[in-house]
């Protein structure tokens, strides 16, 4: 492992917080091979020092504008609006596309909880959709079936027959670096005039049928949390081609300020702007995005080669219409064939100093969202039991990866 300066101490900020030593105040030693730590190896120190030297440390500053412009250019989008984190970006994106309190939002059950929380922040309700087993992403057939067969059309839009609530938006989440199969979802959204908000927090750099993820809906959201492909410590970005959506997002994230001099605010906005210090880090990380992506794909290719054919192990999928960013390299373990469940494998690898991670509780089972309906759910439940994420920091050394593979083989008795 060759993390950049200070990177090792940042693993605790990563979303996978259940590693030894991740709890506040827990002084247990960190795993010898951590799951995912950031790589701070470019101009981060220099750009952040610029902010400290100049005194431009808060949410106004040249790096914020530069980061937005460079991120938009990187994706080929007309506009980008930086936010304090990806959850804030989602909250604002949902509001800007016209989601209203008591609306429903169609989204996957198999995802990190943040997008469902953002739906609730907006006063709306999630309708969860099962994953499909090939790519582990939201099942587009279920989305289409629900909208066409279980909803009805009224003057005010498409409504859920079961609840009478309006469908306010579709929220596909590209999980673990792989895109959702969006074509059928975009088609049905267009048919009923439904906005599509892409949650691309985990899939920066991924491609869908030749287009970058985050360019397919009306608006897309990214995260720069410490565990993401590129990081600003904490941060997010909202990307769109629509100038009205971008303007509204900028307004809402800047406390909806109508008159800065007189301090007039016509509505309740949010203090969701990224700081100049974080944006400085973002500019530096963005310069190395291709290298970070290449590292993820290289790690994935080596795992695929080393693990393919191991009884009970399914390597991370990549559909032929997709280019995965392989954000968090994960395998699926069939306990009956492997003779061992993912939790036991995880415990054995932990004893060998290797940090791995079991996966999200499907949201339709989450106490935080209890009562929300789910279309299907059995696949998400199985993925929850079977998926295990392996160490995949961009700086993972070859011999470290070999140790992970050897420990996994040993745990499985292969
Ligand atoms: C799918 C997904 N959406 C949204 C978020 C929220 O991003 P943030 O942590 O920056 O709020 C995350 C992760 O952090 C995520 O994994």
């Amino acid at each position: 492992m060759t993390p950049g300066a200070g990177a090792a101490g940042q693993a605790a900020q990563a979303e996978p917080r259940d590693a030894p030593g991740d709890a506040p105040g827990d002084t247990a030693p960190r795993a010898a091979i951590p799951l995912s730590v950031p790589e701070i190896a470019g101009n981060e120190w220099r750009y952040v020092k610029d902010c400290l030297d100049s005194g431009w440390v808060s949410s106004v500053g040249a790096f914020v504008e530069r980061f937005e412009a460079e991120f938009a250019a990187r994706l080929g989008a007309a506009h980008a609006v930086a936010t304090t984190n990806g959850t804030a970006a989602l909250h604002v994106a949902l509001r800007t596309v016209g989601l209203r309190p008591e609306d429903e939002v169609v989204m996957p059950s198999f995802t990190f909880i943040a997008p469902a929380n953002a739906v609730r922040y907006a006063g709306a309700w999630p309708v969860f959709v099962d994953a499909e087993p090939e790519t582990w992403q939201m099942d587009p057939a279920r989305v289409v079936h629900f909208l066409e067969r279980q909803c009805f059309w009224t003057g005010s839009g498409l409504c859920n027959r079961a609840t009478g609530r309006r469908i306010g938006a579709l929220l596909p989440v590209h999980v673990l670096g792989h895109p959702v199969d969006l074509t059928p979802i975009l088609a049905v959204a267009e048919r009923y005039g439904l906005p599509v908000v892409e949650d691309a927090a985990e899939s920066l750099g991924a491609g869908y049928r030749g287009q970058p993820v985050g360019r397919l809906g009306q608006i897309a959201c990214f995260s720069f949390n410490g565990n993401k492909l590129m990081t600003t410590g904490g941060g997010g970005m909202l990307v769109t081609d629509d100038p009205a959506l971008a303007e509204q997002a900028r307004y809402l994230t800047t406390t909806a300020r109508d008159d800065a001099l007189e301090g007039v605010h016509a509505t309740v906005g949010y203090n969701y702007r990224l700081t100049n210090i974080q944006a400085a880090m973002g500019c530096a990380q963005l310069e190395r995005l291709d290298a970070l992506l290449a590292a993820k794909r290289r790690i994935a290719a080596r795992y695929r080669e080393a693990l393919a054919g191991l009884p009970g192990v399914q390597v991370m999928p990549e559909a032929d219409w997709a280019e995965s960013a392989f954000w968090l390299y994960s395998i699926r373990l069939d306990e009956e064939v492997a003779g061992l469940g993912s939790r036991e494998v995880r415990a054995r690898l932990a004893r060998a100093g290797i940090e791995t991670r079991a996966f999200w509780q499907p949201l339709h089972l989450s106490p935080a969202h209890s009562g929300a309906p789910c279309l299907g759910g059995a696949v998400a439940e199985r993925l929850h039991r079977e998926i295990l994420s392996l160490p995949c920091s961009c700086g993972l050394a070859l011999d470290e990866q070999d140790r992970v593979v050897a420990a996994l083989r040993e745990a499985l008795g292969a």
Side-chain angles (χ1 to χ4, degrees), residues 152-182:
F152 64 102
W153 183 255
T154 68
S156 66
L158 200 63
C159 294
N160 183 348
R161 265 188 219 291
T163 60
R165 292 190 189 120
R166 192 180 81 115
I167 308 299
L170 307 185
L171 178 54
V173 183
H174 307 288
V175 295
L176 296 173
H178 194 287
V180 177
D181 186 5
L182 278 181

Side-chain angles (χ1 to χ4, degrees), residues 107-113 116-117 126-131 343 359-386:
M107 60 166 296
S109 175
F110 184 67
T111 168
F112 182 54
I113 199 168
N117 290 348
V127 173
F128 295 122
V129 181
D130 204 354
R343 281 16 178 209
F359 249 78
W360 309 295
Q361 179 182 44
L363 292 177
H364 66 274
L365 301 181
S366 167
H369 294 284
S370 66
C374 187
L375 314 172
V379 177
E381 288 169 30
R382 192 154 179 199
L383 293 174
H384 170 55
R385 283 195 305 276
E386 296 187 345

Side-chain angles (χ1 to χ4, degrees), residues 298-368:
R298 203 165 49 237
I299 291 165
R302 278 194 97 231
Y303 273 136
R304 185 168 50 232
E305 199 177 312
L307 301 177
L310 262 187
V313 173
Q314 185 199 332
V315 295
M316 198 167 185
E318 185 179 36
D320 55 11
W321 41 261
E323 186 171 355
S324 177
F326 290 108
W327 162 61
L328 197 57
Y329 192 86
S330 306
I331 57 171
R332 195 172 157 185
L333 280 168
D334 182 335
E335 182 168 358
E336 275 179 26
V337 182
L340 212 57
S342 62
R343 281 16 178 209
E344 178 56 26
V345 171
R346 182 177 181 226
R348 291 189 187 189
L349 292 184
R351 287 197 285 277
I354 296 168
E355 184 187 354
T356 59
R357 185 177 191 250
F359 249 78
W360 309 295
Q361 179 182 44
L363 292 177
H364 66 274
L365 301 181
S366 167

Side-chain angles (χ1 to χ4, degrees), residues 15 17 84-90 111-116 173-176 199-203 221-228 233-236 327 360:
E15 175 204 309
R17 289 189 175 94
T84 45
N85 54 54
T87 313
L90 284 164
T111 168
F112 182 54
I113 199 168
V173 183
H174 307 288
V175 295
L176 296 173
D199 181 343
E202 300 181 3
S203 296
C221 300
F222 293 87
S223 163
F224 309 121
N225 177 269
N227 69 348
K228 294 298 186 289
W327 162 61
W360 309 295

Side-chain angles (χ1 to χ4, degrees), residues 90 94 105-108 115-116 119 138 169-173 195 197-199:
L90 284 164
L94 289 167
V105 176
V106 179
M107 60 166 296
V119 169
M138 179 163 81
L170 307 185
L171 178 54
V173 183
V197 175
E198 280 179 86
D199 181 343

